[in-house]
Amino acid sequence: MTGNESESELPVPPYPPIEPTAFDLIVIGTGLPESVISAAASASGKSVLHLDPNPFYGSHFSSLSIADLTHFLNSHSTPSSVCPDPLYSDVEISNYASRLLSQHPRNFNLDVSGPRVLFCADHAVDLMLKSGASHYLEFKSIDATFMLDADAKLCSVPDSRAAIFKDKSLGLMEKNQLMRFFKLVQGHLSLDESEENDVRISEEDLDSPFADFLTKMKLSHKIKSYSPFPPVTFFSIIYLWHLIAWLFFRIVLYAIAMADYDQEVSEYVLKTRDGINRLALYNSSIGRLVLMFQNALGALIYPIYGQGELPQAFCRRAAVKGCLYVLRMPVISLLTDQNSGSYKGVRLASGQDILSHKLVLDPSFTVPGSLASSHQQLQESFQAFSLSDNKGKVARGICITRSSLKPDLSNFLVIFPPRSLFPEQVTSIRVLQLGGNLAVCPVGMFVLYFSALCDEVNQGKKLLHAALSALQKLLVTGTAGNSSTAQSEDMEEAKPTLLWSALYIQDLSLGQFGSIISTPTPDGNLNYNDLLDATEKLYWKLYPKEELFPETTSSPENSEDDAGLTLES
């Protein structure tokens, strides 16, 4: 299951009857939450049948070829009997170099739910190590992080003490202020909760908005509504100092703490307690990566062959523990007990009925209307418990380009903070560029993912088009700064820099539980922490007394492909 294995154009093969015909758990869909639940249940000794109507693993967390991604988005933006409310909408796909891209039909692994990275010290890495899924994965580090500054240029985000002192844009005073701030954060986190110390941040400060705390620490000089394009008459030493302070205020908020919304005007305020925890994750990720791979350059990593490798790794772990997998097998209806009306099994497209005690559903699968009307009790139990109300939408975009945003760099993160592209931009837009050394595209090309949270479709489309326009401008600048012979020759043929793009809106929800479990959709975060927290809650609703991936001693079955979590620069 390494790399891209999707073959949506192949006919559905005839399947022999599934044996046995009863399981402890049936899971529909092989997205990351479903795959984690399947692997955990299998590790606890439960009999699990894992089904997917798709011909590939990963569902909404998969990595697909251009053709398969196009088919997936189009098919999942159209209402159907099992999905009357599609997860995706307003899909816009543009191909500017069809002849060139047709020469590489299977050389792309495009993430459906990008941009995504893993912090080296985050929950996802710990879960992969504990479960054994890490045995089937390899990673490379993300080389750097940049943020769009007031001049519409990409400025580097300092991710360590050494980076702060090397940054030539900072004066000695600003460097000392930043160092004092990070020292305070580290001192606070290193203290035991029972200790009283001047280094500890007060509870009052921890419960305050993080932006206010940064202002209190004199990182922003109380610049509340600072315009990135002030009149030239303000250009002075004082203005320059304020500009640098404003820039690093935004870097801490949006490029390190990863605040989603404009912290000066939005109702979605990041608390200092959460901001400090995010800085701690960032800092500990740098240290952990250095320890695990000494030549790594930052806090972030990305799986070779794409994010679709993560659910596949958990599926492989589940299979080792006895889970039975059947792809290209749709479920056409759910079965209920005639007396109680409660769930008891599923009917497959092959016509076979399979029974189980519990059921987990892909978020795009809903209880068929006929079943709901005939068995209202089942429908009510399905909708009775929700981990969270719908949190809105996330606007996603993918670009394939022939040049990098930054010459001589392939894999890096870019932040467009609020109001950096247009005055009404209230959310951050995160961009992840990846190159051919991650096996997501041919060498010499690049894949760019970008996304932003939004409340409604029109807002999301405006964010996507503004981001795409900004990226195209940066691509022109990046191409001009790259003097390689190959690109000079290409310019003679006037080939386009942007080769292909896809823009689409995805609905958000955190899942439901009752007699039937519905898993979370891909969220708008850069990492998987919130998603996995929601998944663990669902698992413990299924099996309250079961440990998630209990510790086991080494055995021959665990030695297969036992290379451990491998990191490469």
Side-chain angles (χ1 to χ4, degrees), residues 18 38 58 81 90 151 177 211 254 261 271 284 382 431 438 452 473 517 540 567:
I18 294 174
S38 179
S81 58
D90 296 86
D151 297 321
Q177 283 185 327
Y254 302 112
Y261 293 90
K271 297 293 186 181
S284 58
F382 178 70
V431 183
L438 276 162
K473 292 177 182 177
I517 293 282
W540 284 318
L567 300 175

Side-chain angles (χ1 to χ4, degrees), residues 69 79 124 128 131-132 138 140 142 146 166 174-175 197 215 246 251 279 341 355 359 377 380 427 500 555 564 566:
L69 177 66
M128 286 186 290
S131 66
E138 291 184 73
K140 287 183 181 289
I142 299 301
F146 300 92
K166 288 179 181 178
E174 294 80 44
K175 290 179 179 180
N197 194 295
T215 299
W246 169 81
I251 282 178
L279 293 185
L355 305 181
L359 175 67
Q377 181 180 351
E380 290 174 354
T427 61
W500 183 91
S555 63
T566 303

Side-chain angles (χ1 to χ4, degrees), residues 107-109 304-306 435-441:
N107 289 2
F108 290 94
N109 290 296
I304 297 176
Y305 297 109
N437 64 346
L438 276 162
V440 297
C441 62

Side-chain angles (χ1 to χ4, degrees), residues 4-295:
N4 194 323
E5 298 185 356
S6 59
E7 296 289 347
S8 60
E9 67 275 9
L10 295 179
V12 177
Y15 277 103
I18 294 174
E19 294 291 344
T21 57
F23 294 82
D24 294 324
L25 173 66
I26 293 177
V27 180
I28 301 174
T30 53
L32 184 60
E34 302 95 82
S35 301
V36 170
I37 290 173
S38 179
S42 299
S44 296
K46 303 294 187 293
S47 59
V48 182
L49 173 64
H50 204 159
L51 306 168
D52 198 317
N54 297 302
F56 50 82
Y57 291 84
S59 187
H60 304 289
F61 297 83
S62 58
S63 300
L64 304 173
S65 68
I66 293 175
D68 288 338
L69 177 66
T70 300
H71 178 268
F72 184 85
L73 291 175
N74 287 334
S75 63
H76 284 81
S77 59
T78 305
S80 65
S81 58
V82 296
C83 186
D85 298 311
L87 198 59
Y88 305 99
S89 66
D90 296 86
V91 177
E92 301 176 22
I93 296 178
S94 303
N95 193 336
Y96 307 99
S98 56
R99 180 178 299 180
L100 174 62
L101 295 178
S102 65
Q103 298 172 13
H104 308 277
R106 313 306 302 178
N107 289 2
F108 290 94
N109 290 296
L110 305 179
D111 298 342
V112 175
S113 61
R116 295 276 182 185
V117 294
L118 289 88
F119 288 85
C120 294
D122 72 12
H123 186 36
V125 171
D126 293 338
L127 193 64
M128 286 186 290
L129 291 169
K130 183 179 181 182
S131 66
S134 59
H135 298 197
Y136 312 107
L137 294 162
E138 291 184 73
F139 294 87
K140 287 183 181 289
S141 62
I142 299 301
D143 300 328
T145 302
F146 300 92
M147 193 179 80
L148 197 70
D149 66 12
D151 297 321
K153 296 180 180 178
L154 298 182
C155 65
S156 179
V157 174
D159 55 9
S160 65
R161 282 188 184 182
I164 289 174
F165 279 112
K166 288 179 181 178
D167 196 311
K168 296 180 181 179
S169 67
L170 291 177
L172 182 60
M173 183 185 299
E174 294 80 44
K175 290 179 179 180
N176 286 334
Q177 283 185 327
L178 280 172
M179 291 307 302
R180 282 198 297 270
F181 170 70
F182 286 119
K183 185 177 180 180
L184 173 65
V185 171
Q186 290 177 338
H188 171 82
L189 293 168
S190 63
L191 290 175
D192 185 83
E193 290 185 2
S194 61
E195 293 184 58
E196 293 293 336
N197 194 295
D198 292 338
V199 180
R200 177 173 292 283
I201 301 171
S202 69
E203 286 296 317
E204 181 181 356
D205 282 337
L206 289 174
D207 290 333
S208 69
F210 193 39
D212 291 351
F213 180 71
L214 294 179
T215 299
K216 183 178 179 179
M217 295 301 297
K218 298 182 180 179
L219 288 189
S220 73
H221 251 250
K222 298 184 179 180
I223 302 172
K224 288 296 183 181
S225 57
Y226 191 84
S227 169
F229 304 103
V232 177
T233 54
F234 284 98
F235 195 80
S236 63
I237 294 176
I238 298 297
Y239 164 68
L240 282 175
W241 194 94
H242 278 216
L243 178 61
I244 292 171
W246 169 81
L247 178 62
F248 272 84
F249 174 72
R250 290 164 73 81
I251 282 178
V252 172
L253 268 179
Y254 302 112
I256 299 179
M258 298 291 176
D260 293 312
Y261 293 90
D262 189 335
Q263 295 300 291
E264 298 174 23
V265 299
S266 173
E267 61 180 303
Y268 301 103
V269 175
L270 179 68
K271 297 293 186 181
T272 299
R273 190 185 310 276
D274 297 324
I276 294 297
N277 289 335
R278 294 184 184 188
L279 293 185
L281 172 62
Y282 197 94
N283 183 66
S284 58
S285 293
I286 296 170
R288 189 177 195 182
L289 188 51
V290 168
L291 289 173
M292 298 178 73
F293 190 81
Q294 61 182 2
N295 294 323

